[in-house]
Amino acid sequence: MSGRRPVVSLRRINAIALNTFTELTRLKVFYFLLLFALLLIGSSALMARITFQQELQVLKDVALGAMSIFASLLAILATARLLPQDVEDRTIYTILAKPVERFEYLAGKLGGVLLLLALSVLLMSVVFFVVLFLRQQTLLAETARQMTGLPSAEAADAQANIRHAGVTTTLVLAIVIIYCKAALLASLTLFISTFATTNIFTIVTTVFVYFIGHLQGTAREYWLQNAGSTVGRRLFLGAIALFFPDLQLFNVVDDVAAGAVVPVTLFAKTAGLGVAYTAIYLLFAWAVFYRKEL
Amino acid sequence: MRLGAVVIAVVLFGATKLPLEHQLDAAHRRLGLRAVEFNLDLREQIGQLGFIAALSGFRAIVADMLFIEAHAAWEQTDWARVLLLFREVTTLQPREVLFWDMAAWHMAWNASTAAVNDRSQPRETLRIKAQREYFALGKDFLERGIRNNPDRPQLYEALARLYRDKYRDHERASEWFAKAAAVPGAMSYDRRFAAYELSYCEGREQQAYERLRALYDEGEKERLPTLLKRLKFLEEQLNIPPDQRIPEVVR
């Protein structure tokens, strides 16, 4: 009955992920960030009220922006501390001394962060949708009162405009994209932390990659169009295009908030790219961590 | 050695993902989702804060902050600052039609009125010149807004109102109301307004009559007071035979 141990066990990954998630939820910084995000999303309604004719727009921009900032921050800060903390606490030796593969350890750690991100994004989304829905209902009632006596078609047009600017299913897809971007950043941070020497180095490097990632699209297009007169410039642009993720693709959220019509297939492709990046960076992290001296 | 292998793997992955990203980017551009390009022109237009915001992917939220700042500048009637801030706001968030609309409204309606009533300028000619410059700024915002959002009817409609109310150019107003009406999601009155404006254009009476009559024949919901009034006016102008005229309006 001595069956071979599976190369990758989902059960072990789940155990590590749940343990990581529990550890992360005990951190004060998590509650501080989450509280700050929830306050910002909640207060977006107040901020929106001072903007004439722009209420729902500003509310969506501020809330989605806050979700994006806090999800990204949380992804980077929570992941950057995982490996150094485990080394410092020496728990990594206890775990890896057991029949746990290094890939399982990394996947579990990332899984824990992804669970934390899912919970945070879910909480922020609930607050956001409640605030947006309440404000939308108030505006609909105000508009109905103001348009009493006008032709019904015009009143219906005005109400339809408010509904279009309010709660829509596209917003849910936009939030999924925010989550995918945060997951990508978490995986990238994990990859960097496998060869980083300190926590600070990981955070700073990931922040740099984050900024470069927003310029990657421009560099890539210049490179693909054979722009750049010198060999050095072409090599530089090529390196940026090949090494870094195009994070601008995930900023489709800004246009969704602005009311642009974005096809579901585009959301699916962007989310797919996010998942692919997350998986690939995890594999890269494993490749570095595989035989690393601890 | 292992790090070298990882670098090679990263490059290989880069080469694989490059066409996918390029395709996705092309799809974004086709939909007008990548209206903000990162270059030195943008840096000069939006300033350091805006540029960093755009770089970090938070351009929408910074655009809102600048919009609120523009609102404060409007309350202080600091028109130069309102213009500057709205240029930054619309550059950062070109897909938001209300930003273009508000920018044009502040320039063509508020700033222009302030300019023509500016008692610190004793020469009326210069006051009128300043007023017209603000009209032109409003028109420019709307035209650029339409180029960035050709699929949204609101800005076509705003440009039509600008031609109607500020330039008193009924022909252009009619043309832009008609363009607004042709865009999916347009307000139901755009088609009517296009016909009303045409009815004020000398030499276009017959065309205006046909359009208004067609609207009238659509039924009760289109038979609004202005439509009946303009139709009656055109019947007189064009000497329409009595049996083809619409019934007298019962008051």
Side-chain angles (χ1 to χ4, degrees):
Chain A
M1 286 300 288
S2 60
R4 280 184 63 186
R5 192 163 59 90
V7 180
V8 175
S9 157
L10 274 180
R11 205 164 56 85
R12 286 193 293 266
I13 293 174
N14 278 344
I16 296 171
L18 287 174
N19 191 267
T20 308
F21 174 70
T22 315
E23 264 176 43
L24 289 170
T25 52
R26 284 180 187 149
L27 288 175
K28 283 191 184 105
V29 68
F30 163 68
Y31 291 102
F32 179 73
L33 275 176
L34 193 63
L35 186 73
F36 201 63
L38 294 177
L39 277 176
L40 190 58
I41 293 167
S43 65
S44 60
L46 297 174
M47 225 182 284
R49 290 195 80 153
I50 58 172
T51 57
F52 177 58
Q53 284 192 351
Q54 276 289 119
E55 283 196 40
L56 296 179
Q57 174 58 39
V58 173
L59 199 156
K60 284 190 293 183
D61 278 346
V62 173
L64 289 174
M67 285 169 78
S68 184
I69 292 171
F70 288 108
S72 302
L73 265 179
L74 203 59
I76 296 171
L77 296 178
T79 317
R81 65 176 293 286
L82 289 179
L83 294 188
Q85 193 69 39
D86 273 8
V87 171
E88 199 183 313
D89 298 347
R90 303 194 165 268
T91 43
I92 193 166
Y93 305 111
T94 318
I95 297 169
L96 294 179
K98 292 182 174 169
V100 173
E101 296 294 331
R102 290 194 176 197
F103 177 77
E104 291 167 346
Y105 170 76
L106 288 178
K109 286 284 166 191
L110 182 65
V113 177
L114 295 186
L115 274 176
L116 180 83
L117 287 174
L119 178 75
S120 315
V121 170
L122 186 72
L123 275 172
M124 290 191 278
S125 305
V126 169
V127 174
F128 166 53
F129 280 115
V130 167
V131 171
L132 185 63
F133 180 75
L134 290 176
R135 199 62 214 134
Q136 179 187 326
Q137 293 308 110
T138 312
L139 280 179
L140 282 171
E142 278 173 13
T143 309
R145 203 171 51 246
Q146 285 160 358
M147 298 197 82
T148 314
L150 288 173
S152 59
E154 283 171 26
D157 279 342
Q159 301 249 341
N161 273 345
I162 292 172
R163 284 201 185 89
H164 179 71
V167 179
T168 56
T169 47
T170 324
L171 288 176
V172 178
L173 298 176
I175 291 168
V176 171
I177 297 298
I178 289 176
Y179 178 75
C180 287
K181 187 180 176 184
L184 182 161
L185 286 172
S187 188
L188 176 67
T189 312
L190 187 70
F191 170 44
I192 292 170
S193 74
T194 53
F195 56 82
T197 43
T198 61
N199 198 348
I200 294 293
F201 175 85
T202 305
I203 293 171
V204 171
T205 310
T206 313
V207 170
F208 279 136
V209 173
Y210 181 85
F211 278 101
I212 296 168
H214 282 90
L215 274 173
Q216 191 263 18
T218 310
R220 185 192 61 236
E221 294 313 307
Y222 274 112
W223 188 57
L224 290 176
Q225 287 162 16
N226 288 322
S229 49
T230 62
V231 176
R233 194 175 294 173
R234 284 193 45 72
L235 278 174
F236 175 70
L237 291 173
I240 288 179
L242 291 171
F243 278 97
F244 295 94
D246 183 355
L247 295 177
Q248 278 292 351
L249 291 171
F250 296 88
N251 290 342
V252 68
V253 176
D254 290 344
D255 298 293
V256 169
V261 180
V262 181
V264 177
T265 48
L266 196 71
F267 277 116
K269 282 179 185 171
T270 311
L273 191 70
V275 172
Y277 266 124
T278 308
I280 287 291
Y281 285 135
L282 175 65
L283 286 178
F284 289 159
W286 172 66
V288 176
F289 194 63
Y290 182 52
R291 286 187 192 280
K292 189 178 175 176
E293 294 265 347
L294 293 168
Chain B
M1 179 69 186
R2 199 170 60 250
L3 196 62
V6 172
V7 171
I8 292 168
V10 170
V11 172
L12 284 176
F13 169 63
T16 317
K17 57 107 180 171
L18 214 58
L20 293 172
E21 282 182 340
H22 180 60
Q23 271 178 16
L24 209 52
D25 178 70
H28 278 226
R29 283 173 202 278
R30 270 197 306 279
L31 292 163
L33 303 179
R34 275 223 173 174
V36 180
E37 290 296 343
F38 298 100
N39 50 39
L40 284 176
D41 288 347
L42 179 76
R43 165 70 186 80
E44 281 168 18
Q45 278 175 54
I46 62 176
Q48 200 170 17
L49 172 69
F51 196 65
I52 290 171
L55 269 184
S56 53
F58 303 119
R59 62 185 168 88
I61 200 164
V62 173
D64 286 330
M65 297 304 153
L66 292 173
F67 176 74
I68 291 169
E69 215 176 310
H71 187 84
W74 169 49
E75 285 175 341
Q76 291 157 12
T77 62
D78 184 351
W79 302 115
R81 186 150 178 75
V82 172
L83 174 63
L84 180 79
L85 288 166
F86 267 110
R87 279 192 174 145
E88 293 183 2
V89 168
T90 50
T91 305
L92 280 172
Q93 189 59 309
R95 288 290 286 172
E96 177 47 59
V97 290
L98 274 168
F99 286 154
W100 294 104
D101 198 8
M102 290 289 274
W105 178 64
H106 280 310
M107 290 300 114
W109 268 262
N110 301 330
S112 70
T113 308
V116 82
N117 293 319
D118 180 11
R119 293 295 146 204
S120 67
Q121 173 54 265
R123 292 175 64 185
E124 193 185 4
T125 323
L126 291 181
R127 290 206 302 270
I128 292 173
K129 181 177 174 281
Q131 181 197 31
R132 287 183 184 165
E133 280 169 1
Y134 280 119
F135 287 170
L137 284 169
K139 186 161 83 75
D140 179 57
F141 269 119
L142 291 173
E143 285 170 348
R144 285 193 294 129
I146 289 169
R147 278 201 297 278
N148 279 287
N149 301 278
D151 53 338
R152 315 279 286 278
Q154 295 93 325
L155 295 178
Y156 294 88
E157 196 188 305
L159 189 55
R161 282 198 306 271
L162 179 68
Y163 276 118
R164 182 188 67 189
D165 301 338
K166 296 296 169 186
Y167 287 109
R168 310 275 174 214
D169 184 342
H170 297 294
E171 193 158 5
R172 288 267 175 91
S174 170
E175 187 188 314
W176 284 101
F177 272 126
K179 281 183 183 172
V183 179
M187 294 298 242
S188 53
Y189 54 71
D190 282 334
R191 214 155 51 101
R192 261 197 323 272
F193 282 11
Y196 293 168
E197 289 308 303
L198 203 60
S199 75
Y200 292 104
C201 300
E202 276 184 40
R204 307 283 299 270
E205 289 85 356
Q206 183 60 40
Q207 202 186 345
Y209 172 76
E210 283 164 13
R211 280 214 219 160
L212 286 171
R213 183 68 209 220
L215 283 166
Y216 178 87
D217 290 339
E218 280 183 20
E220 280 299 325
K221 72 176 172 57
E222 291 292 341
R223 294 175 188 173
L224 297 168
T226 311
L227 186 132
L228 298 176
K229 198 174 138 194
R230 295 310 298 164
L231 206 47
K232 277 282 160 209
F233 168 78
L234 290 172
E235 281 175 349
E236 291 296 327
Q237 288 278 103
L238 296 167
N239 287 321
I240 301 293
D243 60 319
Q244 290 175 23
R245 291 188 180 197
I246 61 168
E248 284 300 324
V249 183
V250 181
R251 292 185 191 279

